[in-house]
Amino acid sequence: MLLEFDAEQRLWQDTVRDVVAKQCPASLVRAVAEDGVDTSPLWKVYVDLGWTELNDPAAAVELAIVLEELGHATDPTPFLATMSQFAPLAMDRFDPHRSGTAVYSGVTARRDADGWVLDGTARHVLDGDRADRLAVVTDAGVFIVDAHQVSARRESVFDPVLHVADLSFDRVRLPDGVRVTADRERAHHVALTGMAITMVGACQRILDLVLEHVRSRHQFGVPIGSFQAVQHKAADMHVAVQRARALSYFAALTIAADDPRRRLAAAMAKASAGECQSLVFRHGLQLHGAMGFTWENDLQFALKRAKAGELMLGGAAEHRAQIAQEYRAADF
């Protein structure tokens, strides 16, 4: 298993980075947070570029490259939920032109004479209020549901550009044809890896802003980046980001190769990303001093996106416990 990007992947990374820098600048993220600017034109850019066609497991690394750059930019579109949560469950029902998300719990399905009936309430669904379609996971299987069939209420969360919603299923009737047979375990691994690499991108953004600040901020006539205490914190941030990035791409590689180690690799990636954001959040805020607490500083968006990722799909402690319990089942 090659653990370095090849020439095509490096070119892909450069291309994605250039597009994101142009199409999703910090000014757009701020406009979405402050003025509620419509993000559908940005979503259309991703669709037109073919980024929403990276739903084949073999393209897991290429998708991870996109997700890292979008995490770095605090992407305000439903790309993460669509590609890492909905697409792996939708299987051949996936439409690259329509957004989607996954409902993992809270909904039950029962059979009646006309098909299936879904009931329940799903809490904290990423992009649940704006996705076109839902992949609803139940004991009876995975159902692809049009969003207009359920009622959604967006929650207020600390990340101002993140959409999280509660969904209510009130006797939603579905025919047999909308039930799909999905590999739920693999889909879970994709979701964990996607969230982890998004957090890595956000943490890298925090580190980039820190380095920019400590090089330009002067104290006692010299840049504060010349102080050893500042350098140590920046070095710790760099090491944490690099470790989380390496584990996230290793998880993506196991998914692409259908390697049985992907179960633990995905858990390791999410755990490492969670530990990374904890350290990077703390040091990043401290090294910015009072500026880090202000709304005017773009640091806040990356901080909030990294922290939100830790709170979704299980935190670092949960995944570390899973690793400790299951490590004997993996062939490392």
Side-chain angles (χ1 to χ4, degrees):
M1 182 178 289
L2 183 63
L3 297 179
E4 294 182 356
F5 289 163
D6 58 28
E8 290 186 359
Q9 289 168 334
R10 288 193 295 270
L11 177 61
W12 174 243
Q13 184 181 49
D14 292 340
T15 301
V16 171
R17 186 169 294 166
D18 290 344
V19 170
V20 172
K22 179 180 178 180
Q23 301 293 338
C24 188
S27 58
L28 174 62
V29 176
R30 181 169 291 277
V32 173
E34 294 181 343
D35 305 318
V37 169
D38 184 15
T39 61
S40 57
L42 181 58
W43 167 258
K44 188 176 185 302
V45 170
Y46 300 160
V47 172
D48 292 343
L49 289 171
W51 292 3
T52 54
E53 297 176 12
L54 296 171
N55 60 310
D56 190 321
V61 175
E62 287 70 23
L63 175 60
I65 290 171
V66 176
L67 290 175
E68 181 181 359
E69 295 305 321
L70 294 184
H72 187 276
T74 318
D75 173 54
T77 76
F79 187 90
L80 172 63
T82 300
M83 298 305 299
S84 69
Q85 298 187 16
F86 177 77
L89 289 169
M91 307 294 287
D92 58 351
R93 306 295 180 85
F94 178 70
D95 181 353
H97 295 90
R98 302 178 66 189
S99 61
T101 190
V103 175
Y104 294 113
S105 62
V107 180
T108 60
R110 60 182 175 82
R111 193 71 185 262
D112 71 2
D114 299 322
W116 294 91
V117 179
L118 270 55
D119 279 295
T121 300
R123 300 290 308 280
H124 314 311
V125 178
L126 179 62
D127 287 316
D129 61 315
R130 59 176 177 174
D132 296 323
R133 295 192 298 167
L134 312 170
V136 184
V137 178
T138 72
D139 291 340
V142 178
F143 296 85
I144 307 302
V145 182
D146 287 334
H148 67 79
Q149 295 180 268
V150 307
S151 60
R153 180 178 62 84
R154 183 180 180 184
E155 300 179 61
S156 177
V157 295
F158 56 83
D159 185 337
V161 298
L162 192 72
H163 284 243
V164 176
D166 291 343
L167 304 181
S168 296
F169 294 73
D170 184 14
R171 294 180 58 83
V172 177
R173 293 189 171 276
L174 302 170
D176 276 322
V178 301
R179 189 173 65 152
V180 297
T181 303
D183 186 340
R184 299 190 208 179
E185 185 180 28
R186 184 185 66 81
H188 182 60
H189 302 157
V190 175
L192 288 179
T193 303
M195 191 65 70
I197 196 63
T198 298
M199 294 168 65
V200 168
C203 289
Q204 182 63 57
R205 172 66 171 163
I206 298 168
L207 178 56
D208 291 345
L209 290 172
V210 163
L211 295 178
E212 179 182 334
H213 177 70
V214 301
R215 287 166 179 159
S216 59
R217 171 70 171 171
H218 284 67
Q219 190 72 32
F220 306 112
V222 296
I224 63 173
S226 64
F227 301 148
Q228 192 174 62
V230 171
Q231 293 174 356
H232 284 175
K233 290 184 182 298
D236 288 344
M237 293 170 70
H238 173 73
V239 170
V241 172
Q242 290 293 87
R243 181 180 65 171
R245 176 180 288 118
L247 285 169
S248 295
Y249 278 109
F250 174 68
L253 279 168
T254 61
I255 292 169
D258 197 21
D259 191 305
R261 293 175 293 178
R262 70 182 184 214
R263 178 176 61 177
L264 285 182
M268 290 167 65
K270 187 63 167 64
S272 182
E275 293 169 350
C276 174
Q277 67 79 28
S278 179
L279 183 145
V280 170
F281 189 107
R282 184 171 64 253
H283 288 352
L285 199 60
Q286 184 178 15
L287 291 177
H288 269 80
M291 290 178 59
F293 289 89
T294 62
W295 177 267
E296 290 75 14
N297 196 319
D298 288 338
L299 177 72
Q300 60 156 319
F301 298 115
L303 289 172
K304 293 171 181 176
R305 182 55 53 92
K307 183 62 69 176
E310 165 68 358
L311 299 176
M312 292 186 282
L313 303 180
E318 177 182 335
H319 290 290
R320 286 182 65 87
Q322 177 187 340
I323 295 165
Q325 183 178 4
E326 298 186 7
Y327 80 99
R328 293 183 184 276
D331 179 18
F332 281 103

